[in-house]
Amino acid sequence: MKNFLTRSLTGVVFVSIILGSLLLGEISYAIVFGAVMIGALIEFYSFFKSGQYQPNKLLGYVLALGIFVVLFLIATDIIAAEWSFCLFPIILLCFILEIYREKTTPIENIAVTIFSILYVALPFGLINFLIFPAFEDSRHYIPDLLIAVLSIIWIYDSAAYMVGINFGRHRLFERISPKKSWEGAIGGTIFAVLAAY
């Protein structure tokens, strides 16, 4: 019960910050989502703390922020879409800087650094185009679609947790996540579909 209350309180605070940033406007959205993206990267890189692979974290953070900012500026029509091509040469820095790091697994380090950008930063950058949809050749800040998507995800997660705790008997992927169950996944899906409808 204590675990549930802790998760609920943390969830309420997190959801309030996310929704508050979206409702306040585009600047607060950009700041909060940029910070969440960096937090997600920190979490991603923590998987490699004790392993043999050592991604270039600082470069990853810089590239992630660069991608988010450039795509934000493109989505808001402040700069032209062609500016996105400037990001590709910057990604080559992963290869160049790795030469000077003198680590034992340079190829793997490059792969993990680039994967972190593709897995975390790029999706966050593309969210900008949900927030600034194009209507009649102009873009306006409309957070409704992203709020709807996030709400469905939160409902799925909460319902899957509740159904799994109460009815979960058959493990989904015990090797990866021992507590997740098929019952929870199905229950979460049903509630998410109902919420979407």
Side-chain angles (χ1 to χ4, degrees):
M1 187 68 178
K2 186 180 177 184
N3 184 34
F4 175 71
L5 291 173
T6 304
R7 283 174 62 116
S8 299
L9 184 60
T10 305
V12 167
V13 171
F14 182 72
V15 167
S16 300
I17 291 170
I18 294 295
L19 287 179
S21 73
L22 288 169
L23 296 173
L24 278 173
E26 55 193 69
I27 300 301
S28 61
Y29 147 75
I31 292 169
V32 169
F33 273 71
V36 171
M37 177 188 66
I38 294 299
L41 270 177
I42 291 170
E43 179 74 17
F44 180 85
Y45 290 142
S46 71
F47 294 128
F48 300 94
K49 269 185 180 175
S50 56
Q52 64 183 98
Y53 306 140
Q54 297 175 313
N56 192 331
K57 296 177 189 176
L58 180 59
L59 180 61
Y61 298 138
V62 171
L63 283 172
L65 283 173
I67 288 170
F68 186 81
V69 169
V70 167
L71 293 181
F72 177 83
L73 295 174
I74 291 170
T76 54
D77 279 337
I78 293 174
I79 63 174
E82 289 79 11
W83 280 92
S84 60
F85 291 114
C86 294
L87 297 170
F88 294 109
I90 297 172
I91 292 174
L92 292 176
L93 283 174
C94 293
F95 296 88
I96 296 167
L97 294 178
E98 193 63 34
I99 296 169
Y100 297 99
R101 291 180 72 211
E102 298 180 0
K103 303 293 183 183
T104 55
T105 56
I107 301 300
E108 292 84 352
N109 295 343
I110 292 168
V112 172
T113 304
I114 292 176
F115 181 71
S116 71
I117 300 304
L118 296 175
Y119 184 65
V120 178
L122 188 58
F124 269 93
L126 293 174
I127 286 174
N128 289 304
F129 295 96
L130 278 178
I131 289 286
F132 298 96
F135 289 114
E136 298 176 356
D137 297 327
S138 65
R139 294 185 181 274
H140 303 283
Y141 179 72
I142 304 173
D144 302 20
L145 184 57
L146 182 56
I147 290 173
V149 170
L150 292 174
S151 298
I152 292 167
I153 292 169
W154 291 330
I155 288 167
Y156 170 85
D157 193 45
S158 301
Y161 178 77
M162 294 301 296
V163 172
I165 287 293
N166 291 300
F167 304 105
R169 300 288 179 271
H170 304 88
R171 295 296 161 224
L172 189 59
F173 294 113
E174 197 160 0
R175 181 172 57 87
I176 297 170
S177 188
K179 293 188 177 181
K180 290 194 170 44
S181 65
W182 279 103
E183 291 83 359
I186 293 167
T189 301
I190 291 169
F191 277 93
V193 169
L194 290 173
Y197 178 76

